[in-house]
Amino acid sequence: MNIRLALRASSIGVVVGLSLSTAVASAAPSDFTWPLQPKPRIVTPFDRPDQNWLPGHRGVDLAADEGRPVLAVADGTVVFAGSVAGKPVVSVDHPGGLRSTYEPVTASVTAGTRVRRGTVLGSLASGHDGCSSTCLHWGIRRGREYLDPTALVRTRPIRLKPVDGPSR
């Protein structure tokens, strides 16, 4: 997805441009929300490796207390709720070919369950490697390509509005 931001201040002739390119799905950001509420602190950011076989961080780690409810980030269908390599995991398929994953989560849903954005999927368990305290590893992928999940929940762009009064 390409995001372009242009600010124009015609009275002083300034134009500022910004272009970001991030691999995300063709989904409206308003369709997605954070898997923890309120918005959590990111402990470890997304770090896509240059090649699929290289090390990287294919998701984000979010700080939270053990037992905290973990929410579906968008409407979809639970496709997995169980253990992977001894860790409790929940995966949800969303329209547009996206799959969200949450680990470690003790599931309160089962495979085949249809969920809406904000539905409780389970509770956060302890034991995610790489976090000194309890945290949720949240990932998004399309097919085999891992994407930055925070790109789906970024805040709306800042919009400048005219201010009454003398121009500067």
Side-chain angles (χ1 to χ4, degrees):
M1 166 169 50
N2 288 318
I3 300 170
R4 291 191 50 78
L5 170 66
L7 303 175
R8 296 182 189 272
S10 59
S11 63
I12 56 176
V14 175
V15 176
V16 176
L18 171 67
S19 180
L20 302 173
S21 181
T22 301
V24 294
S26 57
S30 61
D31 293 343
F32 287 79
T33 190
W34 290 92
L36 300 169
Q37 294 295 327
K39 178 185 168 186
R41 178 175 58 86
I42 297 173
V43 176
T44 310
F46 180 77
D47 179 23
R48 179 190 349 269
D50 291 333
Q51 301 294 326
N52 285 341
W53 46 269
L54 290 171
H57 194 248
R58 294 164 174 84
V60 294
D61 292 337
L62 307 173
D65 294 327
E66 185 174 357
R68 189 160 169 194
V70 176
L71 313 174
V73 295
D75 297 354
T77 302
V78 176
V79 292
F80 183 82
S83 183
V84 174
K87 305 285 184 184
V89 175
V90 176
S91 295
V92 178
D93 277 357
H94 307 284
L98 291 177
R99 175 171 289 177
S100 59
T101 57
Y102 315 83
E103 184 264 319
V105 175
T106 303
S108 60
V109 293
T110 58
T113 303
R114 300 229 356 109
V115 295
R116 307 272 305 159
R117 182 177 75 170
T119 299
V120 174
L121 300 173
S123 61
L124 182 60
S126 63
H128 178 63
D129 297 335
C131 288
S132 58
S133 61
T134 305
C135 66
L136 172 69
H137 179 80
W138 172 39
I140 295 279
R141 66 185 174 94
R142 180 189 299 120
R144 299 185 67 118
E145 180 185 11
Y146 286 88
L147 309 169
D148 180 2
T150 64
L152 294 171
V153 292
R154 289 199 179 114
T155 57
R156 301 270 188 260
I158 297 170
R159 302 206 188 277
L160 301 178
K161 296 187 178 194
V163 177
D164 291 344
S167 51
R168 298 180 186 211

